Amino acid sequence: MEKTYSIKEVADYFKLPISTIRYYDKKGLLPFVSKNEAGYRVFSESDFGFIKTICCLKNTGMPIKDIQTYIELCMQGTRTIDQRKEMLQQHKQNVVQKQQLLAESLQEINTKIERYDSKDSQTIISAQIKFVKDEKRDLHLKDPFI
Amino acid sequence: MEKTYSIKEVADYFKLPISTIRYYDKKGLLPFVSKNEAGYRVFSESDFGFIKTICCLKNTGMPIKDIQTYIELCMQGTRTIDQRKEMLQQHKQNVVQKQQLLAESLQEINTKIERYDSKDSQTIISAQIKFVKDEKRDLHLKDPFI
DNA sequence: TTAAACCCTAAACTACGGTTTATAGCAAGC
DNA sequence: GCTTGCTATAAACCGTAGTTTAGGGTTTAA
């Protein structure tokens, strides 16, 4: 016999607070979850697959409303495959763009860390401060350094 | 003579709403910006460097409060280099972790797109639906498909 | 000199993604 | 039979990161 799972077991597995799972359910992200006679949520193995997808979309920044739309399409069977594909392709573009921005910004952070880490850091930063101070003075603007 | 810039010019350059720049100033992210007699913000070339750094930290998910702390350290001169380095190193770890999670999730999204895109998509998805239906029936749980 | 386009502040408002609180039912262990 | 601990709902609340609005003052160009 296959096992069923409580909300706590699911929460522990996905490292999500129970309150978040209930919130997702309220927002229509978990239409596949049943309830028992007492009104308790009862999860099956296959629900874990859906929830993994939800986490994946959430982790990549898809808004709750859009995840809800996607899941709803999933519940409508094979006839929504094209719509789902289009949603994911659009979302993928966003994610790739996010990745690029992240990579570029990380690049900059690394450059700064290297500068701070170099043996000439004092000299380099001093020169930068002097540059700013000179520019501000030339423009009759206040010196921003304390 | 060097040029100064208005808030609108800065907003256009960084593609940020003017309201966001004012918000950042209010939150203490722009202590290096001067004001003229009329109370208008006056930006210099070197301010663009600081703002670029702010955008970089924001784009990588650093909270406004932490960016404020970092900028404050910058304004205290060379004696805060070690603290700044440590902040950025810590932040870098977060960013790398974010990158990994993003890459993994993108992987999953790609797998799904491929599945939706394959010529057997109907068959594959139908099999998945059958699997879920069977499991739910075995457990006496309601069928989630419409 | 007057309209258009710009700038300011303060404070209220918004969206998002939950979290907390308050109420209560049920079930197992002591 | 009492406590502990799980579950439920609904509604209030929270932090973050802005955005909008109200009520001004300033600058520029015709």
Side-chain angles (χ1 to χ4, degrees):
Chain A
M1 190 61 175
E2 287 134 57
K3 193 186 174 328
T4 60
Y5 302 85
S6 71
I7 194 170
K8 188 177 189 325
E9 289 173 304
V10 175
D12 289 348
Y13 181 85
F14 287 102
K15 294 176 177 59
L16 292 173
I18 290 179
S19 56
T20 298
I21 295 175
R22 285 208 271 252
Y23 170 74
Y24 286 175
D25 196 6
K26 197 166 62 179
K27 290 290 170 178
L29 269 55
L30 314 178
F32 44 82
V33 175
S34 301
K35 295 207 182 173
N36 65 17
E37 319 72 46
Y40 292 17
R41 290 174 186 82
V42 177
F43 297 78
S44 67
E45 293 276 359
S46 58
D47 293 344
F48 282 64
F50 285 118
I51 298 173
K52 194 179 169 205
T53 300
I54 291 169
C55 289
C56 166
L57 296 176
K58 179 183 67 89
N59 289 336
T60 50
M62 185 183 281
I64 298 282
K65 189 73 201 63
D66 294 2
I67 299 177
Q68 190 262 316
T69 301
Y70 178 78
I71 293 291
E72 200 173 302
L73 290 174
C74 288
M75 293 310 141
Q76 288 168 21
T78 55
R79 68 189 162 80
T80 60
I81 288 178
D82 282 1
Q83 275 175 83
R84 290 190 241 168
K85 188 173 78 181
E86 218 169 306
M87 268 195 90
L88 291 195
Q89 278 170 340
Q90 177 56 58
H91 182 57
K92 177 185 169 167
Q93 291 209 351
N94 300 156
V95 177
V96 168
Q97 205 171 314
K98 222 184 273 276
Q99 265 188 333
Q100 272 162 6
L101 184 59
L102 210 55
E104 282 164 26
S105 302
L106 185 57
Q107 196 55 351
E108 260 189 78
I109 291 169
N110 278 329
T111 303
K112 275 193 185 297
I113 290 175
E114 264 179 50
R115 190 173 306 146
Y116 288 146
D117 216 16
S118 99
K119 66 176 187 348
D120 307 317
S121 61
Q122 288 281 333
T123 317
I124 297 168
I125 309 295
S126 290
Q128 285 181 348
I129 292 175
K130 183 178 176 335
F131 182 88
V132 173
K133 274 176 177 279
D134 287 353
E135 190 198 53
K136 293 282 184 182
R137 194 176 351 84
D138 288 356
L139 293 165
H140 310 297
L141 303 175
K142 74 172 208 303
D143 179 349
F145 297 101
I146 301 167
Chain B
M1 191 61 173
E2 287 136 58
K3 193 185 175 328
T4 60
Y5 301 85
S6 71
I7 195 170
K8 187 179 190 323
E9 288 173 305
V10 174
D12 289 348
Y13 181 85
F14 287 101
K15 294 176 178 57
L16 291 174
I18 289 179
S19 57
T20 299
I21 296 176
R22 290 206 188 104
Y23 170 74
Y24 285 176
D25 195 8
K26 196 166 64 176
K27 291 290 170 178
L29 269 55
L30 314 178
F32 44 82
V33 175
S34 301
K35 296 206 181 173
N36 67 16
E37 319 73 45
Y40 290 17
R41 290 174 186 82
V42 177
F43 297 78
S44 67
E45 293 276 359
S46 57
D47 294 343
F48 281 64
F50 285 119
I51 298 173
K52 193 178 171 206
T53 300
I54 290 168
C55 289
C56 166
L57 296 177
K58 177 184 68 91
N59 289 336
T60 50
M62 185 183 281
I64 298 283
K65 190 69 200 69
D66 294 3
I67 299 177
Q68 190 262 316
T69 301
Y70 177 79
I71 293 291
E72 200 173 303
L73 289 174
C74 288
M75 293 309 142
Q76 286 168 22
T78 54
R79 68 191 161 79
T80 61
I81 288 177
D82 281 2
Q83 276 174 84
R84 290 189 241 168
K85 188 173 76 179
E86 218 168 307
M87 268 195 91
L88 291 194
Q89 278 171 340
Q90 177 56 58
H91 182 57
K92 178 186 168 166
Q93 292 209 349
N94 300 156
V95 177
V96 169
Q97 206 172 314
K98 220 184 276 275
Q99 263 188 334
Q100 273 163 5
L101 184 59
L102 211 55
E104 282 165 25
S105 302
L106 185 57
Q107 216 20 16
E108 260 189 78
I109 292 169
N110 279 329
T111 303
K112 275 192 185 297
I113 290 176
E114 265 179 51
R115 191 172 306 146
Y116 289 145
D117 217 14
S118 99
K119 64 176 190 348
D120 307 319
S121 61
Q122 289 282 336
T123 318
I124 297 168
I125 311 293
S126 290
Q128 284 180 350
I129 292 174
K130 183 177 177 336
F131 183 88
V132 173
K133 275 175 177 282
D134 288 351
E135 190 197 55
K136 293 282 185 183
R137 192 174 354 83
D138 288 356
L139 293 164
H140 310 296
L141 302 175
K142 74 170 209 303
D143 179 350
F145 297 100
I146 301 167

Coordinates of all heavy atoms in Angstrom, one line a residue, chain B residues 16-56:
Chain B
L16 N 16.0 53.9 -13.9 CA 15.3 53.8 -12.6 C 14.3 54.9 -12.6 O 14.5 56.0 -13.1 CB 16.3 54.0 -11.4 CG 17.3 52.9 -11.1 CD1 18.3 53.4 -10.0 CD2 16.7 51.6 -10.7
P17 N 13.1 54.7 -11.9 CA 12.2 55.8 -11.8 C 12.8 56.8 -10.8 O 13.5 56.5 -9.9 CB 10.9 55.1 -11.1 CG 11.1 53.6 -11.3 CD 12.6 53.4 -11.4
I18 N 12.4 58.1 -11.1 CA 12.9 59.1 -10.2 C 12.5 58.8 -8.7 O 13.2 59.1 -7.8 CB 12.3 60.5 -10.6 CG1 13.0 60.9 -12.0 CG2 12.5 61.6 -9.6 CD1 12.4 62.2 -12.5
S19 N 11.3 58.3 -8.6 CA 10.8 58.0 -7.2 C 11.7 57.0 -6.5 O 11.8 57.1 -5.3 CB 9.4 57.5 -7.3 OG 9.3 56.3 -8.1
T20 N 12.3 56.1 -7.2 CA 13.1 55.1 -6.6 C 14.4 55.8 -6.1 O 14.9 55.5 -5.0 CB 13.5 54.0 -7.6 OG1 12.2 53.4 -8.0 CG2 14.4 53.0 -7.1
I21 N 14.9 56.7 -6.9 CA 16.2 57.4 -6.5 C 15.9 58.2 -5.2 O 16.7 58.2 -4.3 CB 16.7 58.3 -7.7 CG1 17.1 57.4 -8.8 CG2 17.9 59.1 -7.2 CD1 17.5 58.1 -10.1
R22 N 14.8 58.9 -5.2 CA 14.4 59.7 -4.0 C 14.3 58.7 -2.8 O 14.7 59.0 -1.7 CB 13.1 60.4 -4.2 CG 13.2 61.5 -5.2 CD 12.2 62.6 -4.9 NE 12.2 63.6 -5.9 CZ 11.2 63.7 -6.9 NH1 10.2 62.8 -6.9 NH2 11.3 64.6 -7.8
Y23 N 13.7 57.6 -3.1 CA 13.5 56.6 -2.0 C 14.8 56.1 -1.5 O 15.0 56.0 -0.3 CB 12.7 55.4 -2.6 CG 12.6 54.2 -1.7 CD1 11.8 54.2 -0.6 CD2 13.3 53.0 -2.0 CE1 11.7 53.0 0.2 CE2 13.2 51.9 -1.3 CZ 12.4 51.9 -0.2 OH 12.4 50.8 0.6
Y24 N 15.8 55.8 -2.4 CA 17.1 55.4 -2.0 C 17.8 56.5 -1.1 O 18.4 56.2 -0.2 CB 18.0 55.1 -3.2 CG 17.6 53.8 -3.9 CD1 18.2 53.4 -5.1 CD2 16.7 52.9 -3.4 CE1 17.9 52.2 -5.7 CE2 16.3 51.7 -4.0 CZ 17.0 51.4 -5.2 OH 16.7 50.2 -5.8
D25 N 17.6 57.7 -1.6 CA 18.2 58.8 -0.8 C 17.6 58.9 0.6 O 18.4 59.0 1.6 CB 18.0 60.1 -1.5 CG 18.9 61.2 -1.0 OD1 19.8 61.0 -0.2 OD2 18.7 62.4 -1.4
K26 N 16.3 58.7 0.7 CA 15.7 58.8 2.0 C 16.2 57.6 2.9 O 16.3 57.8 4.1 CB 14.2 58.7 1.8 CG 13.4 59.1 3.1 CD 11.9 59.3 2.8 CE 11.2 58.1 2.3 NZ 9.7 58.3 2.2
K27 N 16.5 56.5 2.3 CA 17.0 55.3 3.0 C 18.5 55.4 3.3 O 19.1 54.4 3.8 CB 16.6 54.1 2.2 CG 15.2 53.7 2.2 CD 14.6 53.3 3.5 CE 13.1 53.2 3.6 NZ 12.6 52.8 4.9
G28 N 19.1 56.5 2.9 CA 20.5 56.7 3.3 C 21.5 56.1 2.3 O 22.6 55.9 2.6
L29 N 21.0 55.7 1.1 CA 21.9 55.1 0.1 C 22.7 56.1 -0.7 O 23.7 55.7 -1.3 CB 21.1 54.2 -0.8 CG 20.9 52.8 -0.5 CD1 20.3 52.6 0.9 CD2 20.0 52.0 -1.5
L30 N 22.3 57.4 -0.6 CA 23.0 58.4 -1.4 C 23.6 59.5 -0.6 O 23.3 60.7 -0.9 CB 22.0 58.9 -2.5 CG 21.1 57.9 -3.2 CD1 20.2 58.6 -4.2 CD2 22.0 56.9 -4.0
P31 N 24.4 59.3 0.4 CA 24.9 60.4 1.2 C 25.9 61.3 0.5 O 26.2 62.3 0.9 CB 25.6 59.6 2.4 CG 26.0 58.3 1.8 CD 24.9 58.0 0.8
F32 N 26.3 60.8 -0.7 CA 27.3 61.5 -1.5 C 26.7 62.5 -2.4 O 27.4 63.3 -3.0 CB 28.2 60.5 -2.3 CG 27.3 59.5 -3.0 CD1 26.6 59.7 -4.1 CD2 27.1 58.2 -2.4 CE1 25.8 58.8 -4.7 CE2 26.3 57.3 -2.9 CZ 25.7 57.5 -4.1
V33 N 25.4 62.6 -2.4 CA 24.7 63.5 -3.3 C 24.4 64.9 -2.6 O 24.0 64.9 -1.5 CB 23.3 62.9 -3.8 CG1 22.5 63.9 -4.6 CG2 23.5 61.7 -4.6
S34 N 24.8 65.9 -3.3 CA 24.6 67.3 -2.8 C 23.3 67.8 -3.2 O 22.6 67.3 -4.0 CB 25.7 68.2 -3.3 OG 27.0 67.7 -2.9
K35 N 22.9 69.0 -2.6 CA 21.7 69.7 -3.0 C 22.1 71.1 -3.3 O 23.0 71.7 -2.6 CB 20.7 69.7 -1.9 CG 20.2 68.2 -1.6 CD 18.8 68.2 -1.0 CE 18.3 66.8 -0.7 NZ 17.1 66.8 0.0
N36 N 21.4 71.8 -4.2 CA 21.7 73.2 -4.5 C 20.8 74.1 -3.6 O 20.1 73.6 -2.8 CB 21.5 73.5 -6.0 CG 20.0 73.3 -6.4 OD1 19.1 73.3 -5.6 ND2 19.8 73.2 -7.7
E37 N 20.9 75.4 -3.9 CA 20.2 76.4 -3.0 C 18.7 76.1 -3.0 O 18.1 76.3 -2.0 CB 20.5 77.8 -3.5 CG 21.9 78.0 -4.0 CD 22.2 77.4 -5.3 OE1 21.4 77.5 -6.3 OE2 23.3 76.7 -5.5
A38 N 18.2 75.6 -4.1 CA 16.8 75.4 -4.2 C 16.4 74.1 -3.5 O 15.2 73.7 -3.5 CB 16.3 75.4 -5.6
G39 N 17.4 73.3 -3.1 CA 17.1 72.0 -2.5 C 17.0 70.9 -3.5 O 16.7 69.7 -3.1
Y40 N 17.4 71.1 -4.7 CA 17.4 70.1 -5.8 C 18.7 69.2 -5.6 O 19.8 69.8 -5.3 CB 17.5 70.7 -7.1 CG 16.2 71.4 -7.6 CD1 15.2 71.8 -6.7 CD2 16.0 71.7 -8.9 CE1 14.1 72.5 -7.1 CE2 14.9 72.4 -9.3 CZ 13.9 72.7 -8.4 OH 12.8 73.4 -8.8
R41 N 18.6 68.0 -5.9 CA 19.7 67.1 -5.8 C 20.6 67.4 -7.0 O 20.2 67.5 -8.2 CB 19.3 65.6 -5.9 CG 18.6 65.2 -4.6 CD 18.1 63.8 -4.7 NE 17.3 63.4 -3.5 CZ 16.1 63.8 -3.2 NH1 15.4 64.5 -4.1 NH2 15.5 63.4 -2.1
V42 N 22.0 67.4 -6.8 CA 22.9 67.7 -7.8 C 23.9 66.5 -7.8 O 24.6 66.2 -6.8 CB 23.7 69.0 -7.5 CG1 24.8 69.2 -8.5 CG2 22.8 70.2 -7.4
F43 N 24.0 65.8 -8.9 CA 24.8 64.6 -9.0 C 26.1 65.0 -9.8 O 26.0 65.7 -10.8 CB 24.1 63.5 -9.7 CG 22.9 63.0 -9.0 CD1 21.7 63.7 -9.0 CD2 22.9 61.8 -8.3 CE1 20.5 63.3 -8.4 CE2 21.8 61.4 -7.6 CZ 20.6 62.1 -7.7
S44 N 27.2 64.4 -9.4 CA 28.5 64.5 -10.2 C 28.8 63.2 -10.8 O 28.2 62.2 -10.5 CB 29.6 65.0 -9.2 OG 29.9 63.9 -8.3
E45 N 29.8 63.2 -11.7 CA 30.3 62.0 -12.4 C 30.5 60.9 -11.4 O 30.1 59.7 -11.6 CB 31.6 62.3 -13.2 CG 31.4 63.2 -14.4 CD 31.0 62.5 -15.6 OE1 30.7 61.3 -15.6 OE2 30.8 63.3 -16.6
S46 N 31.3 61.2 -10.4 CA 31.7 60.1 -9.4 C 30.5 59.5 -8.7 O 30.6 58.3 -8.3 CB 32.7 60.6 -8.4 OG 32.2 61.7 -7.7
D47 N 29.4 60.2 -8.6 CA 28.2 59.7 -8.0 C 27.7 58.5 -8.8 O 27.1 57.5 -8.3 CB 27.1 60.7 -7.9 CG 27.4 61.8 -6.9 OD1 28.4 61.6 -6.1 OD2 26.8 62.9 -7.0
F48 N 27.9 58.6 -10.1 CA 27.5 57.5 -11.0 C 28.2 56.1 -10.6 O 27.6 55.1 -10.7 CB 27.7 57.8 -12.5 CG 26.7 58.7 -13.1 CD1 26.6 60.0 -12.6 CD2 25.9 58.3 -14.1 CE1 25.6 60.9 -13.1 CE2 24.9 59.2 -14.6 CZ 24.8 60.5 -14.2
G49 N 29.4 56.3 -10.2 CA 30.1 55.1 -9.8 C 29.5 54.4 -8.6 O 29.3 53.2 -8.5
F50 N 29.2 55.3 -7.6 CA 28.5 54.8 -6.4 C 27.2 54.2 -6.7 O 26.8 53.1 -6.2 CB 28.3 55.9 -5.4 CG 29.6 56.4 -4.7 CD1 30.0 57.7 -4.8 CD2 30.3 55.5 -3.8 CE1 31.2 58.1 -4.1 CE2 31.4 55.9 -3.2 CZ 31.8 57.2 -3.3
I51 N 26.4 54.8 -7.6 CA 25.1 54.3 -7.9 C 25.2 53.0 -8.7 O 24.4 52.1 -8.5 CB 24.3 55.4 -8.7 CG1 24.1 56.6 -7.8 CG2 22.9 54.9 -9.1 CD1 23.5 57.8 -8.4
K52 N 26.2 52.9 -9.5 CA 26.4 51.7 -10.2 C 26.6 50.5 -9.2 O 26.0 49.4 -9.4 CB 27.6 51.8 -11.2 CG 27.6 50.6 -12.2 CD 28.8 50.8 -13.1 CE 28.9 49.5 -14.0 NZ 30.3 49.3 -14.4
T53 N 27.4 50.8 -8.2 CA 27.6 49.8 -7.2 C 26.3 49.5 -6.5 O 26.0 48.3 -6.2 CB 28.6 50.3 -6.2 OG1 29.9 50.6 -6.8 CG2 28.9 49.3 -5.0
I54 N 25.5 50.5 -6.1 CA 24.3 50.2 -5.5 C 23.4 49.3 -6.3 O 22.8 48.4 -5.8 CB 23.6 51.6 -5.2 CG1 24.3 52.3 -4.1 CG2 22.1 51.4 -4.8 CD1 23.9 53.8 -3.9
C55 N 23.3 49.6 -7.6 CA 22.5 48.8 -8.5 C 23.0 47.4 -8.6 O 22.2 46.4 -8.6 CB 22.5 49.4 -9.9 SG 21.6 51.0 -10.1
C56 N 24.3 47.2 -8.6 CA 24.9 45.9 -8.6 C 24.5 45.1 -7.4 O 24.1 43.9 -7.5 CB 26.4 46.1 -8.7 SG 27.4 44.7 -8.4

